[in-house]
């Protein structure tokens, strides 16, 4: 096995043979990539071998590389503005050039096509890059149209002219739901063909007459179809969904390129993405990413020929995530990239309906692009997340960043049978799974045992639990050190505390009284994937690439394409006849109500607590387009909005708990969203950051107090976690976060340093309530049983009394005209940020404002040390947030004028 490592450094263009600071994988999976591994800055989204199998083209954000990979040389590096498309590179068989699809701003000095100005946002481009070995390099550009914030698919190019006289390139335009047809020789746009919803990839016949394209969401809805609306970008549209609210299977369309029409549309599995066309045998292989299968289409008599279920392991759960497919030159072997298990599955497809697994090849993190060399000797696998987070410098300090992604390419010599067997075992061990070919059933060890004594967290699924009610509280965006860094036990750094005991006394007291978790990590990098992980124990490729750019920001149940086919935790509960009540979580947001409403609600709350006011608790009417969620929603509880204080949410919860007491019945699973610790920066007239966090902390304490003093307490467990840590400051890692486990059966006064994450939480809930796994991630995760007592230990039923924070809940930010210097600048900057949805504000800028507000305006912002690699997480760039803010400028101005007056 080739083991050299190649680190490509954009600045020097000098390849390196080692990675001195590999990222640490933090999901209980191990990475042991085979072959030669080349490491890049950013996600690898396109790769192809050159005409010579010793050469390889690679597309990453901002650059296209040509490598002589066998002897560690860079032949060519072509810079471009923006990011490469999904599967965004192909090599022209006629010219040998690399054709790279990109989305970015029009570069300076380039003649702009009609309709594109200096202020135009992102534009889809097709770059034609000469190989570096062919004299003076030249680059041609074709313009595909103004797309705004968007993603574009990969190009496919014909080798001959079609009957219309054009040798063409076809490229899916994801947001427009179109296939662009471009002249391969001069870059001129020929036509666009309307397609179904979210076309991702395309292939084309050698004569340029016929193309096939995947449509992730299938056809556009018709009258009578069950649908759900994406939210909230310009290209959002209705998506066809099943009874759970999850996107229905997608389609693959056959396109007559010359006539510009779709002639056939074939339904395949959920989330069809990549294609591989065996033209000699009339077979088209389709990666169905959200169904863990490959559909084989007969292209001669269009229709489904067969389906290849991807099941290399005895354990079966969604999450293998086939993201790319490739064929050997003879068409006898099919290579399938499995993003979820960091491997490539290789199948013998002499007879596709009897396809057999040859073996598994380990890769870097989340392979999503594949190619096989023309001589059939080598496989190249491009990965989105590669070797983990890299290093950077901030305020003069070396720092590690989870989102400084280093994607990779693994070039693997196709092994013989014996080496295939060894590689397959490695993949299984890396993922804590059992090969399907291994002896035994693979399920015996997990079978529930008879006559086992009940315990809080059963050791095996289906065994009896002492817990009948789980309350799952989801908060927003804090790291461990920001809150508990000075707790006095556990692994904390007091110098990084921003919201200490005076602001968060309940979080401190509950962590001290019960268990301190100092190795809990948020699985997501932002709300768009954090909430997916916390409700589904999975993240689809749709949010990972991401494909929602220009369409939605799916933090709140507003994009059916973001949902795993394994379903939600409330689906699993309902399937086992468990009752569920959801308070706000994952329900689509409503328009933000502004600072005046929040302040009025806080004053009414203060009066009610003092017994001096009789203003009623506000009422709401919350709904969801996810049918299974809508049936469980507590209507009179708000969705994600910072306009409602969390202590008011706690009052609403207490009223529901009182009603459950009167009825003598409480839901088995209760999910509650508490978002105030997100804060609104130092926006004028809004609650100060410390007041917002204190509001969240007190509401948490009040809910715990109410539950511990209820009749349900002897059979209740409360789990509290943040949806993500939003790139905050932490001396271990920026994704380390705060979690609490509160129950009569929780251990008292101990530190648990076991690695836990979102799948760990969900697995613990599943064991408590007797629910099945949602995905392969919670299937193999470590549950939190170590934090709970055994069946021989005595429970502690003592109630908890909430602690009023020393920090006032009623403190508000001053207006800019009352401030000077950095404080005034921060107030002006905060007022321009969007807080009506999570993560719309630039995270780094907001974090610096929050740091200075908490620690002093002359205190140096610390380097963000992020040594762990959190997979399957995508941060939203601050530039993209700024573009979103510009698009919503009118809305923001109205909010500022209403909530804080004119910003001077």
């Amino acid at each position: 096995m080739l083991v050299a490592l190649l680190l490509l450094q954009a600045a020097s263009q000098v390849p390196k043979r080692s990675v001195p600071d590999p990222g640490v994988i933090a999901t209980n999976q191990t990475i042991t990539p085979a072959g030669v591994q080349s490491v890049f800055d950013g996600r690898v989204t396109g790769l192809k071998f050159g005409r010579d199998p010793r050469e390889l083209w690679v597309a990453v954000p901002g650059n296209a590389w040509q490598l002589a990979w066998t002897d560690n040389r860079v032949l060519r590096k072509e810079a471009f503005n923006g990011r490469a498309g999904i599967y965004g590179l192909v090599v022209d068989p006629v010219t040998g050039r690399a054709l790279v699809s990109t989305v970015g701003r029009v570069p300076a000095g380039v003649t702009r096509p009609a309709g594109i100005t200096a202020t135009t946002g992102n534009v889809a481009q097709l770059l034609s890059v000469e190989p570096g070995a062919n004299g003076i390099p030249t680059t041609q550009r074709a313009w595909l149209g103004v797309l705004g914030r968007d993603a574009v698919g990969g190009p496919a190019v014909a080798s001959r002219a079609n009957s219309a006289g054009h040798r063409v390139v076809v490229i899916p335009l994801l947001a427009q739901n179109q296939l662009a047809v471009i002249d391969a020789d001069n870059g001129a746009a020929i036509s666009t063909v309307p397609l179904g919803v979210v076309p991702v990839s395309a292939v084309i016949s050698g004569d340029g007459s016929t193309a096939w394209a995947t449509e992730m969401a299938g056809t556009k809805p018709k009258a009578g179809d069950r649908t759900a609306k994406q939210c909230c970008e310009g290209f959002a549209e209705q998506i066809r969904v099943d009874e759970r609210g999850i996107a229905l299977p997608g389609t693959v369309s056959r396109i007559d390129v010359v006539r510009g029409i779709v002639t056939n549309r074939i339904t395949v599995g959920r989330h069809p993405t990549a294609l591989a066309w065996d033209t000699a045998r009339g077979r088209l292989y389709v990666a169905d990413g959200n169904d863990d299968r490959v559909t084989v289409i007969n292209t001669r008599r269009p229709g489904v020929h067969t389906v290849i279920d991807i099941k290399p392991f005895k354990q079966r759960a969604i999450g293998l995530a086939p993201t790319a497919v490739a064929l050997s030159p003879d068409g006898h072997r099919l290579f399938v990239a499995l993003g979820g298990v960091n491997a490539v599955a290789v199948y013998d497809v002499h007879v596709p309906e009897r396809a057999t697994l040859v073996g598994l090849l380990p890769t870097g993190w989340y392979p999503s692009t594949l190619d096989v060399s023309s001589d059939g000797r080598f496989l190249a696998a491009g990965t989105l997340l590669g070797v983990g987070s890299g290093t950077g410098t901030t305020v003069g300090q070396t720092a590690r960043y989870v989102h400084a992604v280093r994607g990779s390419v693994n070039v693997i010599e196709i092994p013989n049978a014996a080496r295939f067997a060894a590689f397959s075992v490695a993949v299984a061990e890396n993922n804590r799974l059992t090969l399907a070919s291994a002896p035994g059933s693979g399920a015996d060890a997990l079978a529930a045992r008879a006559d086992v004594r009940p315990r809080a967290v059963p050791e095996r699924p289906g065994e009896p639990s002492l817990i009948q009610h789980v309350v799952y509280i989801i908060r927003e965006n804090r790291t461990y050190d920001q809150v508990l860094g000075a707790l006095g036990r556990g692994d904390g750094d007091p110098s990084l505390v921003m919201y200490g005991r005076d602001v968060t006394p309940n979080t401190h007291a509950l962590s001290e009284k019960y268990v301190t978790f100092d190795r809990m990590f948020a699985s997501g990098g932002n709300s768009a994937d954090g909430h997916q992980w916390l409700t589904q124990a999975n993240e689809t490729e749709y949010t990972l690439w991401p494909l929602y750019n220009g369409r939605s920001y799916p933090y709140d149940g507003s994009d059916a394409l973001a949902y795993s086919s394994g379903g939600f935790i409330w689906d699993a509960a309902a399937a086992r006849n468990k009752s569920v009540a959801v308070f706000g979580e994952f329900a689509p947001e409503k328009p933000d109500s502004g600072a005046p409403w929040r302040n009025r609600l806080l004053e009414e709350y203060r009066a009610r607590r003092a017994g001096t006011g009789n203003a009623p608790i506000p009422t709401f009417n919350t709904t969801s387009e996810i049918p299974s969620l809508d049936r469980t929603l507590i209507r009179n509880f708000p969705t994600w909005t910072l306009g409602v204080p969390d202590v008011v949410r706690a009052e609403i919860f207490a009223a529901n708990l009182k009603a459950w007491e009167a009825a003598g019945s409480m839901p088995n699973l209760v999910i509650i969203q508490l978002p105030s610790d997100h804060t609104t920066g130092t926006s004028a007239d809004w609650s100060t950051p410390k007041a917002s966090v204190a509001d969240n902390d007190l509401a948490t304490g009040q809910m715990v107090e109410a539950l511990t003093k209820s009749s349900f307490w002897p059979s209740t467990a409360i789990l509290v976690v943040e949806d993500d840590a939003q790139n905050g400051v932490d001396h271990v890692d920026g994704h380390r976060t705060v979690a609490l486990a509160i129950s009569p059966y929780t251990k008292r006064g101990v530190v648990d340093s076991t690695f836990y994450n979102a799948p760990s939480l969900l697995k613990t809930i599943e064991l408590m309530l007797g629910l099945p796994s949602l995905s392969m991630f919670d299937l193999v995760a470590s549950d939190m049983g170590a934090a709970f007592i055994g069946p021989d230990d005595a429970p502690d039923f003592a109630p908890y009394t909430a602690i009023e924070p020393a920090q006032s809940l009623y403190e508000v930010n001053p207006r800019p005209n009352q401030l000077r210097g950095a404080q005034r600048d921060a107030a002006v900057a905060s007022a321009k940020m969007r807080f009506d949805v999570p993560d719309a504000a630039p995270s780094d800028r907001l974090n610096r404002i929050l740091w200075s507000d908490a620690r002093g305006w002359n205190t140096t912002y610390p380097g963000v040390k992020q040594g762990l690699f959190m997979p399957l997480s995508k941060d939203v760039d601050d530039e993209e947030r700024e573009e979103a803010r510009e698009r919503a400028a009118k809305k923001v101005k109205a909010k500022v004028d209403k909530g804080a007056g004119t910003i001077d």
Side-chain angles (χ1 to χ4, degrees):
M1 180 180 70
L2 298 171
V3 294
L5 295 175
L6 173 63
L7 177 61
L8 300 177
Q9 296 183 328
S12 63
Q13 299 189 28
V14 178
K16 300 295 182 182
R17 283 288 185 178
S18 64
V19 178
D21 57 342
V24 179
I25 309 306
T27 56
N28 288 337
Q29 293 173 301
T30 304
I31 302 298
T32 59
V36 173
Q37 177 163 278
S38 305
V39 182
F40 300 82
D41 256 348
R43 288 167 168 79
V44 172
T45 58
L47 66 80
K48 287 289 179 182
F49 282 101
R51 287 173 164 176
D52 186 333
R54 296 170 296 179
E55 297 178 1
L56 189 70
W57 287 92
V58 182
V60 298
N63 289 291
W65 296 84
Q66 184 191 18
L67 311 177
W69 65 270
T70 55
D71 57 358
N72 197 32
R73 284 186 298 119
V74 175
L75 300 177
R76 177 71 190 278
K77 172 177 170 284
E78 175 71 20
F80 55 82
N81 182 281
R83 55 183 175 269
I86 310 302
Y87 313 120
L89 186 149
V90 70
V91 174
D92 189 327
V94 174
T95 66
R97 294 171 177 168
L99 303 179
V100 186
S101 60
T102 72
V103 175
R105 294 184 181 276
V106 178
V110 174
T111 302
R112 296 185 178 92
I116 298 177
T117 69
T119 60
T120 297
N122 289 335
V123 175
Q125 306 172 45
L126 177 65
L127 307 184
S128 176
V129 185
E130 290 279 1
N134 291 351
I136 299 173
T138 60
T139 301
Q140 297 177 354
R141 282 183 166 85
W143 304 91
L144 310 184
V146 180
L147 304 183
R149 183 182 175 203
D150 187 26
V152 64
V157 58
S159 57
R160 306 186 301 279
N162 58 27
S163 60
H166 298 285
R167 192 171 70 86
V168 299
V169 182
V170 294
I171 307 170
L173 305 181
L174 278 68
Q176 276 88 348
N177 298 329
Q178 294 174 342
L179 187 73
V181 182
I182 306 294
D183 189 295
D185 296 311
N186 60 29
I190 297 173
S191 65
T192 55
V193 182
L195 293 177
V197 182
V198 193
V200 178
S201 67
V203 291
I204 193 167
S205 59
D207 64 4
S209 63
T210 303
W212 294 84
T214 57
E215 297 157 331
M216 180 174 276
T219 59
K220 292 181 179 296
K222 301 184 294 294
D225 286 348
R226 178 188 284 116
T227 66
K229 177 72 180 295
Q230 294 177 312
C231 174
C232 306
E233 298 290 350
F235 295 108
E237 56 190 301
Q238 295 287 340
I239 302 296
R240 299 175 307 119
V241 297
D242 64 16
E243 65 280 359
R244 299 174 298 169
I246 295 170
L248 288 171
T251 51
V252 175
S253 283
R254 180 186 184 276
I255 299 102
D256 183 320
V257 177
V258 175
R259 292 192 293 160
I261 60 171
V262 172
T263 60
N264 301 86
R265 180 167 278 128
I266 300 164
T267 299
V268 290
R270 283 183 169 87
H271 289 205
T273 51
L275 294 171
W277 192 0
D278 183 352
T279 55
R281 297 165 183 81
R283 301 169 185 162
L284 183 65
Y285 296 88
V286 186
D288 296 327
N290 203 9
D291 268 342
D292 287 355
R293 72 181 207 181
V294 171
T295 299
V296 185
I297 290 175
N298 182 339
T299 60
R300 292 170 179 163
R301 300 179 63 184
V304 173
H305 176 70
T306 191
V307 171
I308 302 172
D309 285 322
I310 308 299
K311 46 183 181 182
F313 308 108
K314 293 185 185 296
Q315 299 89 343
R316 297 299 306 276
I318 197 69
L320 300 179
T323 55
V325 285
L327 285 165
S328 60
D330 61 8
H332 293 162
R333 281 188 172 178
L334 175 71
F335 299 84
V336 185
L338 303 180
V341 290
N342 319 310
V344 176
V346 185
Y347 285 88
D348 183 325
V349 290
H350 276 85
V351 182
E353 57 269 32
R354 294 197 298 273
T356 57
L357 179 67
V358 176
L360 301 168
L361 300 173
T363 69
W365 199 274
Y366 211 93
S368 60
T369 50
L370 295 176
D371 195 30
V372 180
S373 61
S374 58
D375 59 8
R377 290 184 58 200
F378 298 100
L379 170 73
T383 73
L384 293 183
L385 302 169
V387 299
S389 56
T391 59
T393 301
T394 180
V395 197
Q397 303 180 41
T398 299
R400 296 184 64 105
Y401 296 93
V402 167
H403 299 307
V405 173
R406 296 179 298 176
S408 66
V409 172
N410 306 112
V411 182
I412 306 167
E413 187 171 9
I414 308 300
N416 57 27
R419 296 178 70 204
F420 253 127
F423 281 136
S424 299
V425 170
V427 171
E429 292 181 350
N430 289 347
N431 290 280
R432 302 167 68 187
L433 295 166
T434 306
L435 288 172
S437 58
S441 69
D444 295 343
L446 298 178
R449 297 163 296 186
D451 303 322
V452 175
R453 294 171 60 190
R455 56 194 306 152
V457 184
E459 293 179 340
R460 299 182 184 182
E463 293 182 348
S465 173
L466 296 166
I467 301 300
Q468 298 178 29
H469 313 287
V470 177
V471 179
Y472 185 26
I473 299 175
I474 299 172
R475 308 193 297 185
E476 286 277 337
N477 294 19
R478 302 274 68 88
T479 69
Y480 181 92
D481 277 340
Q482 285 178 314
V483 178
L484 296 176
L487 183 66
R489 68 180 191 190
D491 186 5
D493 185 341
S495 71
L496 300 178
V497 173
M498 294 170 59
Y499 306 111
R501 197 178 295 268
D502 58 329
V503 180
T504 57
N506 292 284
T507 303
H508 280 73
L510 291 166
S511 185
E512 289 171 329
K513 180 176 181 178
Y514 295 95
V515 180
T516 299
F517 298 103
D518 65 355
R519 285 297 184 274
M520 167 64 74
F521 296 92
S523 298
N526 58 30
S527 290
D529 53 24
H531 287 272
Q532 317 294 334
W533 280 108
L534 287 170
T535 58
Q536 303 169 86
N538 196 10
E539 179 185 358
T540 70
E541 75 292 295
Y542 180 76
T543 57
L544 182 62
W545 256 309
L547 299 179
Y548 58 72
N549 273 340
R551 287 181 167 271
S552 74
Y553 189 66
Y555 72 97
D556 65 343
S558 57
D559 192 337
L561 285 168
Y563 311 147
S564 166
S565 63
F568 304 95
I569 187 64
W570 51 81
D571 293 326
R576 291 296 189 274
N577 296 315
K578 303 294 183 180
S579 53
V580 183
V582 178
F583 290 77
E585 171 62 18
F586 228 58
E589 60 98 8
K590 300 296 190 293
D592 191 75
S593 48
W597 195 44
R598 177 182 174 88
N599 294 334
R600 177 173 64 81
L601 294 179
L602 277 169
E603 289 303 319
E604 292 174 354
Y605 162 82
R606 176 155 56 178
R608 284 193 297 271
R609 296 286 287 184
T612 60
N614 57 5
I617 298 172
T619 59
F620 303 89
N621 184 26
T622 299
T623 61
S624 170
E625 288 191 316
I626 302 174
S628 60
L629 174 60
D630 192 61
R631 290 190 292 270
T632 70
L633 279 174
I634 300 298
R635 301 287 183 217
N636 187 29
F637 194 90
T639 60
W640 200 101
T641 173
L642 299 178
V644 179
D646 282 351
V647 288
V648 173
R649 288 180 166 90
E651 289 182 303
I652 299 172
F653 171 76
N656 280 270
L657 179 60
K658 184 177 180 180
W660 297 337
E661 288 270 24
S665 178
M666 176 180 171
N668 301 113
L669 176 62
V670 177
I671 305 174
I672 305 169
Q673 185 180 76
L674 289 181
S676 277
D677 57 337
H678 181 286
T679 85
T680 54
T682 56
S683 301
D685 291 345
W686 281 88
S687 297
T688 64
K690 287 185 177 180
S692 298
V693 177
D695 167 41
N696 177 267
D697 178 81
L698 179 56
T700 302
Q702 290 170 339
M703 290 182 177
V704 171
E705 176 178 349
L707 287 162
T708 62
K709 294 180 178 178
S710 75
S711 61
F712 307 112
W713 178 233
S715 58
T716 296
I718 306 167
L719 301 175
V720 183
V721 73
E722 311 283 317
D723 76 314
D724 60 63
Q726 273 299 291
N727 220 17
V729 181
D730 191 277
H731 84 282
V732 173
D733 181 80
H735 281 80
R736 192 172 67 138
T737 193
V738 179
L740 302 168
I742 307 149
S743 171
Y745 309 98
T746 309
K747 292 178 179 177
R748 295 302 197 268
V750 302
V751 176
D752 184 352
S753 296
T754 308
F755 166 81
Y756 296 123
N757 62 1
S760 300
L761 280 163
L762 287 170
K763 183 168 187 173
T764 303
I765 294 172
E766 291 158 3
L767 288 170
M768 287 175 168
L769 298 181
L771 310 180
S773 297
L774 298 171
S775 76
M776 58 158 249
F777 293 101
D778 52 332
L779 178 69
V780 303
S782 297
D783 64 70
M784 302 174 74
F788 291 81
I789 62 175
D792 294 325
D793 300 315
D796 184 345
F797 298 108
Y800 176 78
T801 300
I803 304 170
E804 190 79 21
Q807 166 65 47
S808 170
L809 273 61
Y810 312 103
E811 182 180 65
V812 298
N813 293 313
R815 297 186 178 189
N817 58 10
Q818 299 173 296
L819 301 170
R820 296 291 181 270
Q823 287 178 272
R824 182 186 182 281
D825 294 342
V828 172
S830 295
K832 293 178 180 179
M833 296 176 185
R834 289 189 65 189
F835 293 105
D836 55 327
V837 295
D839 304 341
S843 61
D844 183 67
R845 191 175 307 171
L846 176 60
N847 285 341
R848 291 173 183 273
I849 290 172
L850 295 177
W851 170 265
S852 296
D853 175 77
R855 297 298 301 257
W857 294 93
N858 294 318
T859 305
T860 301
Y861 185 72
V864 183
K865 182 178 179 182
Q866 295 183 304
L868 297 183
F869 174 41
M870 300 306 301
L872 309 185
S873 62
K874 163 71 167 66
D875 192 29
V876 177
D877 294 337
D878 283 357
E879 180 180 346
E880 292 180 342
R881 289 189 173 99
E882 288 298 318
E883 291 178 3
R885 186 188 66 79
E886 291 170 6
R887 291 196 301 274
K890 292 183 180 180
K891 180 178 180 180
V892 174
K893 183 177 186 301
K895 182 180 75 170
V896 171
D897 291 344
K898 179 180 178 182
T902 302
I903 300 299
D904 64 347

